[in-house]
Amino acid sequence: MSKMQILKGIGIAKGLALGYATYIKTSKPEIPSHTIGKEELDAEITKLEQALDQSREELNSFLQQQDVSESEKEILSTHLEILTDPELIQNLNSAINDELHNVAKAIHTTFEEAIDFFHSMENEIFAQRAADFADVRMRLLRKVMNHDPNPFSELNTDSIPIFTEISPSDVSLLSKQGVCAYIAENCSATSHAAILSRALNIACVAHIPELKETVHEGDYLIVDGGSGEVILNPDDEALDFYAQKLQIQELIEQKQLQLKNTECQTKTGALIDLALNIGLPEEIDLVSKLNSSGVGLFRTEFLFISKEQLPSEEEQYQIYSKMADQIAPKTLTIRTFDMGGDKLSHLIPTKPEANPYLGNRGIRFSLAHPELLRTQLKAILRAAKHGKICIMFPMIVDVDDFLEAKRIFLSCADELYAEGISYSAEIPIGTMIEIPSAALSSDALARECDFLSIGTNDLVQYTLAVDRNNESVSSYYIQHHPAVLKLIRATLVNAAKYNTPVSICGEMASIREYIPLLIGMGATNLSVNASAFFDVKSVIQRCDAKVNMIVKNFDFSTSLPKVDELVYRTLKPYYEEKKESYK
Ligand code: PEP
Ligand code: MG
């Protein structure tokens, strides 16, 4: 038997599965290149119309199935939108009528333009958009070229398919075949395919170096989407280990489900408000799935970036109101667009900046493009009639910055009133604390704002002057640096003076090691990633009076090793859980 090997990749979707490697040949159809004669025009146009109709019908009937998840619905609806886009349809028709392309070539070249455009943006969100177009193109090509509608019909629960790239509809088909895990050479964690894999519980590991050289067709594999490992030709010991791990995982899932309806409180009885961070509207169904207190951060810029046109007030109103309605009476905290930095949109022409993170970002960008902000605020004001909504502004530098943003909010309400459009102005307005100056002004901000929310991701970046996306300086990006902790504590203390609620929504709140520290510092509201939700909740439930004492008596005017000692030694029993590893 061949030797066992542990291959390390990146875990994209959690889960464990055993099975046989099956390379998926990207069965790209050979596109005929011939031009057609005028007498063939009608027949080719009819083929196109039939393919479009059948594809729309297929998607609509998927959408009506009972077991379709919200994430799947969102993606299928995007594909349906592409299939009904009048401009695209017109281009398809003219590729046949004017350029005399055969129908397959017309589809191929018309979609190619959109795909190339999104690829050229070199941004994950656009790459996702390109993947959506490629997916729809393949659906249409399969129709006009009579390709196998299910290229995975040979796969079963024992198969571990290996893809070069995977599309969202591939993931849907895998799920229908009962496939439990797959490997992708390329797949980013924020792609639609990754989102669907997580929603459909299909484990995925991506980016394994030299995959094709190491794993051969038919090899026996264990895929561990949690650790990002693939075990090639596992020996008996490894099989036993993973069989146990699978059992433990099932037990943890059962245990976590038991946590769903328990109070989120510490051993001393302090209730902690545990909300969710989301970036896509379809993630709203996680609120009831996990029983979170609501949404503590909805990063609206993702919604914005993935569109082909600036989302209109009406479009945004529909999205926000549906989300608020779905989770009512729980709260949906909408952060206004945090554009700039690494989040730029092709829809708004912007001058390149030497230091984008110190430039036109967050509220500065919105104030520089007031129409954009006004459209969003008016949509939110209207949506607030459908549920409980809070608004928060990103990258606020001080109280004047906040008051300027609030003034615009109030004038949007006045405008809606003057137009006789129904809205609700009962919207708490808060600010993110992401810049040291905001933390140092947190007394004035706490006085003016209805709530504060600490964005530790940026607070760390700006306090320690370390680019959060620059791998080469990542050793300086220390979230529990005493300077950062002092700013967090100052914000908590200042807010308490004015009874202003403070939430912590940066990544720190999703890291189990930091929970006893944050609770000990007095945090009562956390907003976390869905994948960390139950983990964080179980640590909260383990915190006792001793945690408060230890942290309260700790002097943060100290060196980093002392804080390391506090976090990684003294507070360890509260977050530690027996974790075994196989090596
Ligand atoms: C933060 O900075 O902590 C935050 C939550 O905002 P983002 O990560 O979107 O910049
Ligand atoms: Mg931020």
Side-chain angles (χ1 to χ4, degrees):
M1 187 173 158
S2 315
K3 210 169 160 293
M4 185 179 93
Q5 280 186 60
I6 300 173
L7 314 175
K8 187 87 193 122
I10 293 177
I12 299 288
K14 279 187 192 163
L16 270 179
L18 279 79
Y20 297 93
T22 310
Y23 277 93
I24 301 296
K25 305 189 187 40
T26 26
S27 58
K28 281 198 182 136
E30 279 294 314
I31 309 293
S33 58
H34 66 269
T35 45
I36 52 170
K38 288 239 176 335
E39 68 290 353
E40 291 170 282
L41 278 177
D42 286 350
E44 294 298 279
I45 292 285
T46 309
K47 274 193 222 160
L48 172 68
E49 280 167 358
Q50 280 171 350
L52 286 166
D53 283 346
Q54 282 169 9
S55 301
R56 289 184 205 119
E57 268 164 36
E58 249 171 43
L59 289 172
N60 271 321
S61 82
F62 269 137
L63 279 166
Q64 270 145 33
Q65 281 171 21
Q66 295 292 321
D67 57 348
V68 180
S69 69
E70 280 302 313
S71 342
E72 223 176 345
K73 267 190 205 154
E74 188 75 24
I75 293 165
L76 295 175
S77 309
T78 310
H79 290 189
L80 204 53
E81 245 174 59
I82 296 174
L83 282 167
T84 44
D85 179 345
E87 196 182 323
L88 187 91
I89 294 173
Q90 195 191 342
N91 291 346
L92 283 167
N93 276 298
S94 71
I96 300 174
N97 283 325
D98 306 337
E99 300 185 36
L100 301 178
H101 285 333
N102 66 69
V103 62
K105 189 166 179 207
I107 293 170
H108 189 265
T109 49
T110 308
F111 275 78
E112 194 74 355
E113 276 174 33
I115 295 168
D116 283 350
F117 169 75
F118 287 117
H119 267 315
S120 69
M121 304 304 288
E122 290 184 1
N123 166 309
E124 266 183 21
I125 307 272
F126 294 122
Q128 201 171 288
R129 198 76 193 130
D132 285 334
F133 271 84
D135 204 346
V136 175
R137 172 168 74 178
M138 186 55 92
R139 187 182 288 279
L140 288 171
L141 284 174
R142 281 192 186 126
K143 302 263 170 313
V144 296
M145 298 179 72
N146 297 324
H147 244 64
D148 180 0
N150 182 357
F152 310 135
S153 48
E154 301 294 306
L155 298 179
N156 53 45
T157 49
D158 245 9
S159 315
I160 308 283
I162 303 178
F163 293 83
T164 307
E165 287 195 9
I166 182 158
S167 71
S169 28
D170 289 340
V171 178
S172 283
L173 288 173
L174 291 185
S175 160
K176 291 191 173 63
Q177 291 298 126
V179 170
C180 307
Y182 68 94
I183 300 172
E185 281 185 78
N186 302 307
C187 181
S188 86
T190 53
S191 65
H192 274 160
I195 292 167
L196 263 191
S197 303
R198 292 192 285 267
L200 298 171
N201 282 325
I202 306 180
C204 169
V205 173
H207 304 283
I208 294 179
E210 296 178 9
L211 178 70
K212 282 191 178 132
E213 288 76 26
T214 326
V215 177
H216 302 110
E217 185 78 15
D219 278 347
Y220 196 50
L221 305 173
I222 297 174
V223 176
D224 184 347
S227 67
E229 282 176 345
V230 171
I231 319 293
L232 170 62
N233 301 317
D235 59 19
D236 287 348
E237 215 182 318
L239 284 170
D240 277 353
F241 176 82
Y242 277 95
Q244 271 185 32
K245 196 168 169 183
L246 201 60
Q247 276 178 353
I248 293 170
Q249 186 176 289
E250 277 161 15
L251 284 174
I252 291 175
E253 274 161 20
Q254 279 169 16
K255 220 175 109 197
Q256 289 198 325
L257 266 185
Q258 287 166 9
L259 277 189
K260 181 176 168 181
N261 293 319
T262 58
E263 284 288 11
C264 187
Q265 63 180 17
T266 64
K267 282 196 172 150
T268 59
L271 284 174
I272 305 295
D273 184 287
L274 192 58
L276 277 180
N277 293 347
I278 62 172
L280 296 170
E282 76 256 26
E283 287 178 282
I284 197 73
D285 49 343
L286 289 167
V287 171
S288 60
K289 199 166 160 202
L290 308 183
N291 193 20
S292 77
S293 67
V295 171
L297 166 64
F298 172 32
R299 291 177 161 103
T300 54
E301 59 280 0
F302 287 116
L303 158 96
F304 181 94
I305 289 170
S306 63
K307 295 279 170 196
E308 274 162 90
Q309 284 166 359
L310 290 174
S312 65
E313 180 187 316
E314 184 59 28
E315 207 176 326
Q316 291 185 58
Y317 161 69
Q318 294 293 345
I319 293 169
Y320 305 146
S321 55
K322 196 168 150 215
M323 293 171 79
D325 181 54
Q326 187 173 327
I327 62 166
K330 294 181 176 178
T331 304
L332 169 66
T333 308
I334 302 183
R335 180 175 74 181
T336 59
F337 303 135
D338 183 17
M339 304 298 290
D342 61 351
K343 296 182 250 182
L344 278 172
S345 168
H346 63 298
L347 301 172
I348 312 161
T350 40
K351 282 206 198 106
E353 295 178 298
N355 288 308
Y357 275 114
L358 302 181
N360 235 338
R361 189 189 164 197
I363 197 65
R364 301 174 192 177
F365 188 95
S366 294
L367 293 176
H369 299 83
E371 277 322 305
L372 212 64
L373 180 62
R374 296 186 77 85
T375 305
Q376 184 175 35
L377 291 174
K378 281 161 82 179
I380 297 173
L381 277 155
R382 289 170 58 198
K385 285 199 67 119
H386 299 264
K388 252 169 113 176
I389 297 187
C390 294
I391 294 180
M392 63 185 177
F393 298 116
M395 293 286 297
I396 289 285
V397 78
D398 59 17
V399 72
D400 299 310
D401 221 12
F402 172 74
L403 291 176
E404 172 67 2
K406 185 171 173 181
R407 196 188 55 72
I408 295 185
F409 168 79
L410 294 175
S411 85
C412 287
D414 288 348
E415 204 171 300
L416 287 174
Y417 180 77
E419 287 165 12
I421 297 171
S422 139
Y423 69 95
S424 163
E426 281 180 26
I427 303 178
I429 314 177
T431 180
M432 299 274 298
I433 303 287
E434 301 177 282
I435 304 180
S437 62
L440 294 168
S441 314
S442 51
D443 43 1
L445 281 164
R447 203 173 47 228
E448 295 297 337
C449 298
D450 296 316
F451 67 95
L452 308 179
S453 185
I454 306 178
T456 54
N457 305 339
D458 279 311
L459 191 59
V460 173
Q461 149 160 281
Y462 294 122
T463 306
L464 304 177
V466 51
D467 181 344
R468 62 193 260 191
N469 295 334
N470 184 343
E471 270 303 308
S472 66
V473 285
S474 61
S475 61
Y476 288 92
Y477 192 89
I478 299 159
Q479 308 194 46
H480 60 281
H481 191 286
V484 175
L485 298 182
K486 281 170 112 175
L487 292 173
I488 295 178
R489 201 172 51 181
T491 307
L492 290 166
V493 169
N494 281 329
K497 285 191 219 154
Y498 296 94
N499 272 331
T500 305
V502 190
S503 156
I504 302 181
C505 68
E507 223 35 46
M508 248 187 123
S510 294
I511 299 175
R512 63 202 328 265
E513 284 82 350
Y514 294 141
I515 303 307
L517 173 72
L518 297 175
I519 299 288
M521 287 172 79
T524 52
N525 298 52
L526 303 178
S527 190
V528 302
N529 301 329
S531 58
F533 187 85
F534 286 122
D535 212 13
V536 170
K537 188 166 180 178
S538 72
V539 181
I540 290 171
Q541 291 177 337
R542 267 178 261 152
C543 290
D544 59 15
K546 223 167 117 199
V547 167
N548 296 341
M549 284 300 288
I550 297 168
V551 181
K552 201 170 148 217
N553 293 325
F554 190 81
D555 179 7
F556 285 106
S557 298
T558 187
S559 62
L560 181 59
K562 290 254 163 59
V563 186
D564 275 339
E565 174 83 22
L566 169 74
V567 174
Y568 293 107
R569 287 188 194 275
T570 318
L571 297 173
K572 202 168 172 184
Y574 295 97
Y575 62 77
E576 201 176 36
E577 235 174 18
K578 261 204 166 331
K579 279 212 163 153
E580 291 172 69
S581 72
Y582 181 82
K583 282 282 139 46

